[in-house]
Amino acid sequence: MFFLHSLKIIGHNAIAFIRELGKMGLFLCISLYYVFFPPFLIQRVIKQIHFIGVKTILVVGLTGLFTGMVLTLQAYYVLVTFGAESKLGSITAVSLIRELGPVVTALMVIGRAGSALTAEIGIMRMSEQIDALESMALNPYKYLVVPNFIASLISLPILTSMFVALGVWGGYLVGVNLTGLAPGIYYGSIADSITAKDLILCSYKSLSFGVLIAWVCCYKGFFAGYGSGFGAQGVSKATTDAVVLASVLTLICDYYITSIMIFA
Amino acid sequence: MIEVIDVYKKFGNQTILNGVNLKVEKGQTLALIGGSGKGKSVFLKHMIGLLKPDAGKILIAGQEIAQLHGPKLKALKDRLGIVFQFGALFDSLTVFENVAFPLQEKTKLKEKEIREKVFHELETVGLKDDADKYPAQISGGMRKRVALARCLIMNPDVVFFDEPTTGLDPVIAQSIYKIIQTLHRTRNLTALIVSHEIPGIFKIVDQVAMLHDGKIIFKGTPNEIQASANPFVQQFLHGELE
């Protein structure tokens, strides 16, 4: 009896999981479809670029700066034991461009803008504002989802570049000013070690994370209340789910993009 | 104008609409009454195509709304308007912007024309001086009037009201009834008003229908419903427990 009951619960959860995946996939397809068809709501896209990109600059800048600083500091104490301090710039830049830049930027955007996106769209769902759009024969995907997709796609690569640039500069501050490394050696090792492949990898990652963040956060807000409770509790759960899912998927996605690109 | 034929709707195991049949003639005002949580709002969402019935047909102006797609659905929706229970105003836009929104998004009118039209509608609902306020800065009654103005700005033929006076004080409720009456008279609107404000709602409608257990158990004039021998109708009208 207990075995059957457990089997039933597992089956129920498996079906619910597959259904959710299907719904998410459909949401992504519909959203991407509308990205390419008019009307193009340029003003809304600009507004969302300001919300997702411009307002995240400070957070990403500070995070990038201190990540670069601490990374260089840690690397210095390892490299100095091998007498390889000249590789300090290389280690900092490679780590930032290949991994930390895109991933940490994405996590920062999820925390600052993604959660707010989910909450905003979720409240619109709960207070029937999305229904109001539909009742006016206006497409809610066009108004609420597509501008976030485009804004996220534009913002993430720019924010990632800023993160990397400030991280490298933070590394310079620590490597050159604190540990006494020559500036030429720091920058020279960066120039020697960074290849076009690293920059392409960084671009792929930031673009993929851009889509992923908009997808998960808009989806969770758009369907807030569907199985996540109603009212404030529903919005709160949708927001938490969005942040957790987007963060986990970012890390999973990061691994797969890296493994594909390394062997490509 | 509106014809509902044998409409069924279930959510999970719960049957909400269990064979609803209803007809509203052009230019007629009908009140749909019934207890809370009995499916009145769900019924209304079917009327504007937000929900699709599991079975049955909803014909509006002779067209089955659940079967329409693309431009045809858009054209039909342009003739419909809805005033949601809590207004459903866009909370990041001002009163003016909320009312102007459908015109800005769906027409090619110039800013000056939009401004004139918006202020005309705001004057109709008595909110001309509150155009710059945000929904959070106005009362529930004012929000409903803004929602009404937003709905009317596209000159719909049919308007659906979801509990337009619930939670409002009697004076504000009367003012909303008066606006609905005036609009009905001046614009020959067909209106379906979901409400459980009894007997206030009877003063402004031509017909009353009662939804009970997912079915329309009574339809007639306000006088007829008050004289009805149906025990459920009488229980609801007099607020008796059982």
Side-chain angles (χ1 to χ4, degrees), chain A residues 4-18:
Chain A
L4 278 178
H5 185 66
S6 306
L7 208 63
K8 195 176 157 187
I9 291 171
I10 292 168
H12 179 267
N13 288 338
I15 291 169
F17 177 71
I18 291 166

Side-chain angles (χ1 to χ4, degrees), chain A residues 128-129 131 134 136 143, chain B residues 45 77 89 91 105-106:
Chain A
E128 295 180 315
Q129 291 175 52
D131 287 345
E134 282 191 64
M136 291 176 208
Y143 280 84
Chain B
K45 286 187 175 178
K77 278 189 175 180
L89 299 178
D91 42 23
E105 299 299 330
K106 300 178 74 172

